[in-house]
Amino acid sequence: MQTTSLRIQSDPRQPDPPNASGRRLPWAAIAAWILVLLVAVPFAGKLNDVKRDTAVDYLPAGADSTQVARLQEKLPGGDTTDLVLVYHRDGGLTAADRRAADGRVAEVAGRHELVGGGAARAVPSKDGTTVMYPMALTGLKDEKVRAEAVKDVRAELSAHPAGLSVQVAGPGALAADSQEVFASTDGTLMFATAGMVAVLLILTYRSPFLWLVPLVVVGVAAMAAMAIVYALVQGFDLVVTSMSSSIMTVLIFGAGTDYALLIVSRYREELRRHRAPYDAMRRALRGCGPAVLASSGTVAAGLLCLLAADLNSSRGLGPVGAVGVVCALAAMMTLLPAVLVLLGRRVFWPLIPAYGSEPRARRSVFAAMGGAAARRPGLVLLGGTALLGALALGALNMPGDLKQQDTFTDKPESVTAARTLTRAYPGAGTQPISVLTRSPHAAEVLERARGTDGVERAVRGRSGGGWAEIDVFAADAPQSAGELATIHSLRSGLERIDGADALVGGPSAQQLDLKDTNAHDRKIVIPFVLVAVLLILAALLRSLIAPLVLVAAVIAVWGAAMGLGGLVFEPVFGFAGVDPGLPLLSFVFLVALGVDYGIFLMHRMREESLRGAPVAEAALTALRTTGGVIAAAGLVLAATFAVLASLPMVMLVELGFVVAVGVLLDTFLVRTYLVTSASLLLKRRVWWPGPLS
């Protein structure tokens, strides 16, 4: 009779035994999250309204160009929208073309408020194919109004003689095109990421129902995160850009799904050992909870280290990304277990883990990999390290810095117009360098600017609030080496005028400051990230050697991923440059996220060692039991970051590529072979100075 009873309880088709705590706590957790959603959803929808994508939001906080942009907002009419109206005919402009262009530009100038109040000046090219009309619109209060003004100008220029090309270039047009591009990315990114995760979960779980549970929970976490970020914007004036919002979405789906994979895998194991799902889940969370907490802690800590950056966009990304990771952790540690416990074993159908059963024996790929590493650990470690080093050499092939007009993967009108200007006005400056100075010194600064090497002309602009604006035009093309040298000369020359407090800004100066500040931020942020990650790992693993092994591994992965980027960005993708923020952001993500898989592996290895297993046996057992989960998690995380490649921004494509490739290298080479080989060689010393050593 007792045997029959046990057989009935072991049958997954039978209902799970009642458990009072197992019912009350899950329902309480679900009720709490429903309340969170009721509060969060209205505010989450408002996040798009508070995103800021002006130049100041991406610039260094203390740079000259940032101060210039802020001062320009306080001048009469506010920040200007600098445009260049470009008329071009391949065979050369006719007299009728010029008359039509002059008349239409005069009409545009009459409909908008321009700096100086006059008509735009025509600047014909030497070859006679092009004429440009620089103009600066003023009196536009915010970026949305400025974008609408650019759209209006383009509509007003739409009528023109056949065969005549009319385009709008300039920083204002580029900003408007950027805003339009970012506005179209939110829905695309969310649906593409969710779809990618859904497909991978279906393939991983091979269940028609189970995949939906983590995906819904991740969606709940995303709603909560967006609401919290909106509250931070309102309460602390946190800067949220479209880039940081996009990366937060990817982080929530990628990291949240990784945590779900680890929890569900451990829960499946425990269901075979415990009759009640509640007991199985409690044991699963007790076993993998510290690893998940440490994993999320490393990511959040690494992101918060970005608060030390001087670059506004990087500093804002830190708390935004950390909020996303913490919300994903909270949902996966509370809501996911509650839903799984209430659904019972049947959610795993058709592969239901019956109580008292043993998992189906099958040949483990990761056991075979571990065996290969165990036979010759020294050779495997040396060969893998040499491979990563060789890949890292590809970074020497990186293209130069990304120019502003090359930031899009497709070519909006502002970019094609800029290229038309480059061809028609070779070596000539087509956009101003903005100089701000104290009004009493304006004449002296203007004279000094005109006498600076590389300056073609300089003219007075607006004045107000004790400041005067001077537009300086370089003799060289925008963002060329000659123009950048002119900016350096202006800064070094004008700072010698006592009391002038002269500042040099404008689009090219902004790009120069971005490059310099990113180099400075790398020296500050990277050490902070390494120290934070090492401290968390040391606390989790009770060791100093194991954390050093894991951190050294992810640094090697980052170098190899950057090297692969150098091999494909220009030759394969056709990118004209690399965003200066790529090295820092990719390092933060790869170190913080890459350590996750090391945590999953080493924590399980430590568990086995605590049970008395020798290091070799513990390492191979950890690889065999967690290898499949780590592989699935790595594929999910790599896929979510790869979704960034679908967006039309070169920076996001480059970041998505480097992180995705780095995660795959980390998952299938470093964790599987190199960390395992290093552990086998170090033996008990891997746990030094903890008691296991």
Side-chain angles (χ1 to χ4, degrees):
M1 178 65 70
Q2 186 177 4
T3 305
T4 305
S5 174
L6 178 60
R7 190 182 302 117
I8 292 173
Q9 291 293 343
S10 300
D11 189 344
R13 294 171 295 180
Q14 297 299 318
D16 293 305
N19 184 309
S21 297
R23 292 293 177 184
R24 286 197 300 267
L25 287 179
W27 280 117
I30 291 173
W33 275 101
I34 290 174
L35 289 176
V36 169
L37 273 182
L38 290 175
V39 175
V41 169
F43 295 104
K46 296 181 180 180
L47 182 59
N48 283 332
D49 298 333
V50 297
K51 291 179 186 176
R52 290 151 51 178
D53 289 304
T54 63
V56 171
D57 300 316
Y58 286 87
L59 288 173
D64 277 14
S65 58
T66 309
Q67 297 179 60
V68 167
R70 287 176 175 153
L71 287 170
Q72 285 177 324
E73 293 176 354
K74 300 176 182 178
L75 292 175
D79 193 11
T80 61
T81 302
D82 296 323
L83 305 177
V84 181
L85 313 186
V86 183
Y87 281 80
H88 172 82
R89 187 185 289 274
D90 288 336
L93 295 170
T94 65
D97 291 338
R98 286 296 304 270
R99 287 193 299 271
D102 290 339
R104 185 62 65 184
V105 171
E107 291 179 14
V108 170
R111 293 192 183 101
H112 300 272
E113 184 180 350
L114 303 184
V115 173
R121 183 175 69 93
V123 183
S125 64
K126 292 181 180 179
D127 62 5
T129 62
T130 309
V131 60
M132 67 173 176
Y133 300 83
M135 61 169 58
L137 279 58
T138 187
L140 306 173
K141 62 180 181 179
D142 57 44
E143 57 184 312
K144 292 182 179 178
V145 175
R146 289 193 282 272
E148 286 298 320
V150 173
K151 189 180 296 184
D152 291 341
V153 170
R154 285 172 170 163
E156 291 159 4
L157 297 175
S158 58
H160 51 78
L164 183 64
S165 167
V166 183
Q167 297 173 313
V168 181
L174 189 64
D177 289 338
S178 297
Q179 184 177 329
E180 185 174 350
V181 166
F182 277 126
S184 65
T185 60
D186 290 332
T188 301
L189 183 65
M190 180 71 78
F191 288 117
T193 306
M196 182 71 73
V197 169
V199 169
L200 291 173
L201 287 176
I202 291 171
L203 294 174
T204 300
Y205 291 139
R206 290 172 290 169
S207 167
F209 308 112
L210 182 56
W211 65 273
L212 193 57
V213 178
L215 194 61
V216 170
V217 174
V218 167
V220 172
M223 288 292 109
M226 288 189 283
I228 293 173
V229 170
Y230 176 78
L232 291 175
V233 173
Q234 298 300 315
F236 301 95
D237 197 29
L238 178 69
V239 174
V240 181
T241 64
S242 295
M243 182 189 76
S244 61
S245 175
S246 298
I247 291 175
M248 182 184 73
T249 299
V250 168
L251 276 174
I252 293 171
F253 275 85
T257 306
D258 280 3
Y259 305 152
L261 286 167
L262 187 64
I263 292 169
V264 172
S265 174
R266 192 62 176 262
Y267 177 52
R268 189 197 293 266
E269 280 185 47
E270 299 299 335
L271 280 173
R272 301 182 187 278
R273 303 180 186 131
H274 299 272
R275 182 177 286 110
Y278 176 79
D279 295 332
M281 181 59 74
R282 185 173 59 180
R283 187 66 185 86
L285 291 178
R286 189 178 300 166
C288 68
V292 174
L293 288 171
S295 171
S296 60
T298 57
V299 179
L303 288 167
L304 289 175
C305 289
L306 288 171
L307 288 170
D310 188 40
L311 200 66
N312 285 332
S313 56
S314 296
R315 194 169 61 251
L317 173 61
V320 171
V323 166
V325 170
V326 171
C327 286
L329 170 70
M332 292 304 164
M333 291 293 285
T334 57
L335 182 58
L336 176 68
V339 174
L340 289 175
V341 166
L342 291 177
L343 291 174
R345 301 173 188 270
R346 292 176 180 82
V347 74
F348 289 93
W349 186 87
L351 304 176
I352 300 176
Y355 170 60
S357 66
E358 292 293 332
R360 186 174 60 182
R362 57 183 178 182
R363 187 173 181 271
S364 171
V365 174
F366 293 96
M369 291 178 174
R375 283 191 291 273
R376 294 185 177 180
L379 184 61
V380 169
L381 183 60
L382 182 63
T385 303
L387 175 60
L388 292 176
L391 292 175
L393 293 176
L396 300 175
N397 193 49
M398 283 284 188
D401 293 324
L402 191 68
K403 294 184 178 180
Q404 199 172 28
Q405 68 185 41
D406 296 322
T407 55
F408 300 98
T409 55
D410 56 3
K411 307 304 174 195
E413 182 179 319
S414 58
V415 172
T416 57
R419 293 183 173 178
T420 299
L421 290 174
T422 300
R423 291 191 299 269
Y425 301 85
T430 56
Q431 65 185 19
I433 301 167
S434 299
V435 176
L436 268 291
T437 182
R438 299 287 182 182
S439 295
H441 297 271
E444 185 181 0
V445 169
L446 177 62
E447 182 180 357
R448 180 71 64 89
R450 286 172 173 167
T452 301
D453 289 340
V455 172
E456 186 177 81
R457 60 189 176 91
V459 296
R460 282 286 297 268
R462 298 169 294 167
S463 297
W467 290 89
E469 181 183 49
I470 297 172
D471 289 332
V472 178
F473 290 86
D476 297 285
Q479 291 186 246
S480 64
E483 190 197 35
L484 296 181
T486 301
I487 292 172
H488 283 299
S489 298
L490 281 169
R491 285 177 168 172
S492 61
L494 298 181
E495 70 179 7
R496 298 174 189 157
I497 302 176
D498 292 336
D501 296 332
L503 302 165
V504 179
S508 296
Q510 291 170 2
Q511 295 300 111
L512 180 62
D513 289 338
L514 284 172
K515 177 184 176 182
D516 293 342
T517 305
N518 272 296
H520 171 268
D521 286 348
R522 287 197 294 272
K523 297 176 184 177
I524 302 297
V525 175
I526 286 177
F528 281 171
V529 172
L530 293 176
V531 170
V533 170
L534 280 170
L535 289 176
I536 293 173
L537 289 175
L540 174 72
L541 300 175
R542 307 292 195 274
S543 165
L544 291 179
I545 300 299
L548 288 172
V549 170
L550 294 179
V551 170
V554 291
I555 292 174
V557 165
W558 172 70
M562 288 292 291
L564 283 170
L567 295 176
V568 302
F569 284 159
E570 189 173 21
V572 179
F573 295 162
F575 294 157
V578 174
D579 189 280
L582 177 66
L584 175 61
L585 294 183
S586 62
F587 182 88
V588 170
F589 287 128
L590 277 178
V591 169
L593 293 169
V595 163
D596 282 6
Y597 306 127
I599 289 173
F600 298 162
L601 181 67
M602 296 296 282
H603 184 261
R604 187 59 181 263
M605 180 178 163
R606 187 172 185 274
E607 278 190 76
E608 298 298 327
S609 296
L610 287 171
R611 296 189 182 110
V615 170
E617 181 183 334
L620 296 178
T621 300
L623 180 60
R624 185 179 67 253
T625 55
T626 66
V629 179
I630 291 175
L635 286 172
V636 168
L637 189 62
T640 52
F641 269 91
V643 171
L644 289 175
S646 67
L647 302 182
M649 301 295 293
V650 170
M651 164 59 180
L652 293 178
V653 175
E654 291 176 341
L655 180 64
F657 176 86
V658 170
V659 175
V661 167
V663 167
L664 293 176
L665 283 173
D666 193 74
T667 302
F668 294 103
L669 173 62
V670 173
R671 300 296 150 222
T672 306
Y673 288 107
L674 303 193
V675 171
T676 301
S677 298
S679 301
L680 293 171
L681 290 171
L682 289 168
K683 299 181 180 178
R684 287 275 173 186
R685 290 187 296 273
V686 75
W687 303 120
W688 185 88
L692 286 175
S693 64

